[in-house]
Amino acid sequence: GVMKTINVNKLTSAGCRVKIWIADWFAQLNNKMGGDLKKIEVVGRYLIEIWKAVGMDIDGGKVEFLWCGQIMGRSEKEELTAAQIFYPCMQCADVFFLKADICQLGMDQRKVNVLAREYCDDIKRKNKPIILSHHMLPGLQEGQAKMLKSDPLSSIFMEDDEAEVNLKIKKAYCLPGIVEGNPCLEYVKYLILPWFKKFEIERSAENGGDKSFESFEELVADYESGKLHPPDLKPALAKALNKILEPVREHFKNDNNAKDLLKRVKAYRVTR
């Protein structure tokens, strides 16, 4: 939720118009929520509330939300034995259906974007869509290349309360002096620094005193040298994440529509 907001706001500030495809049919193909389109639509509306609450710049008319099912029409779920074939074809077709000049997805979707560019060769289309692939955040536990929905400690959820964020970061994999494969440092690099333009450490004078990092390189230098330790890094990271998420919590607590959506989505997690 936070990374998408950062990336979308970068694009709109650069003059781009962004179309966010709420891919309900794709979720049905993946049998999300048991393939129930009504439940999937609720989750889609919930995600839009998340992006609004966390600060996505959607009020200036530069961001448009589009629903696959609403635009293409609806049908009852049929046997999806060919889903794995149709899914990448649909993803590829999206790029052209949306008339996208730039296709912004995660690195895990790069092959589909390449397929779209190769298709342009087949149809003799000169202007190929530009691939803009964003970094994939790792899971918070050792050896997790990406976040795992099956492991609650693997990631921070947008509706996690302060205590849950603190606990997950406290238990996160973070060896002293080791940067490679350190999820806490990845969170600082890809979430905290882009959001706040700095990363602030609070510590006692005998432990080096407070320090503010404005670049990841500066942070890495201190961490590798041992000037910055995990017991100082983790509380600062948790505090920064909670600061980002606080407006989201307030929105889902005070907005009746958002509150109802969150309640329904949480119920789906239990029954899916």
Side-chain angles (χ1 to χ4, degrees):
V2 176
M3 277 198 70
K4 185 181 292 292
T5 297
I6 289 171
N7 290 329
V8 167
N9 287 350
K10 282 182 180 179
L11 288 167
T12 56
S13 66
C16 295
R17 297 180 63 86
V18 177
K19 295 180 180 179
I20 296 181
W21 197 222
I22 308 297
D24 46 3
W25 276 9
F26 292 82
Q28 186 186 37
L29 282 171
N30 268 336
N31 204 36
K32 301 293 185 183
M33 299 298 161
D36 188 328
L37 270 176
K38 290 183 178 179
K39 288 184 177 180
I40 291 168
E41 287 173 7
V42 170
V43 175
R45 295 202 302 274
Y46 160 76
L47 290 173
I48 292 173
E49 290 298 321
I50 283 282
W51 297 322
K52 284 167 55 178
V54 80
M56 185 179 287
D57 184 16
I58 65 176
D59 294 327
K62 291 185 177 181
V63 178
E64 181 180 6
F65 295 102
L66 302 172
W67 293 74
C68 183
Q70 291 177 0
I71 292 177
M72 294 183 173
R74 301 187 178 280
S75 65
E76 292 299 319
K77 180 182 176 185
E78 299 172 358
E79 291 299 319
L80 301 173
T81 55
Q84 288 184 316
I85 298 174
F86 283 117
Y87 196 94
C89 294
M90 288 172 64
Q91 283 186 295
C92 182
D94 280 349
V95 180
F96 303 100
F97 180 80
L98 294 172
K99 298 181 174 61
D101 300 306
I102 302 170
C103 191
Q104 200 274 316
L105 290 168
M107 282 297 296
D108 60 333
Q109 303 295 319
R110 187 177 181 278
K111 289 182 179 179
V112 170
N113 286 340
V114 170
L115 177 63
R117 288 177 61 85
E118 291 176 347
Y119 176 67
C120 289
D121 292 331
D122 294 337
I123 63 174
K124 311 300 181 186
R125 174 171 168 163
K126 184 177 179 180
N127 296 323
K128 298 181 180 181
I130 295 167
I131 299 175
L132 183 59
S133 301
H134 68 249
H135 178 73
M136 301 293 293
L137 283 176
L140 290 172
Q141 301 304 304
E142 182 178 4
Q144 294 180 336
K146 64 178 183 178
M147 296 178 284
L148 303 174
K149 296 183 180 69
S150 59
D151 182 0
L153 292 177
S154 172
S155 62
I156 304 295
F157 296 113
M158 295 298 293
E159 71 274 9
D160 280 350
D161 61 31
E162 183 176 353
E164 288 171 321
V165 173
N166 293 341
L167 177 63
K168 289 180 180 183
I169 296 301
K170 183 179 180 179
K171 291 189 173 184
Y173 178 71
C174 187
L175 289 181
I178 304 298
V179 174
E180 189 70 25
N182 189 322
C184 291
L185 290 175
E186 291 246 339
Y187 268 52
V188 175
K189 180 178 181 179
Y190 291 100
L191 297 179
I192 308 306
L193 284 172
W195 193 272
F196 295 109
K197 310 305 179 189
K198 61 183 178 181
F199 178 52
E200 297 182 328
I201 300 289
E202 296 178 358
R203 57 190 175 184
S204 62
E206 54 266 27
N207 287 330
D210 296 348
K211 185 163 183 181
S212 180
F213 297 95
E214 295 185 1
S215 74
F216 187 66
E217 292 73 22
E218 183 186 6
L219 175 65
V220 165
D222 270 20
Y223 196 77
E224 288 183 326
S225 69
K227 293 180 180 178
L228 178 64
H229 301 279
D232 298 319
L233 172 72
K234 284 187 171 185
L237 172 58
K239 182 177 181 180
L241 288 171
N242 278 314
K243 191 172 182 179
I244 293 173
L245 294 178
E246 188 55 32
V248 179
R249 298 175 188 135
E250 287 298 312
H251 179 68
F252 280 87
K253 183 168 64 175
N254 299 320
D255 184 282
N256 289 332
N257 177 55
K259 187 188 299 184
D260 177 65
L261 288 170
L262 176 58
K263 181 179 178 180
R264 294 167 71 180
V265 168
K266 283 188 172 182
Y268 296 162
R269 285 181 183 158
V270 174
T271 59
R272 70 181 178 185

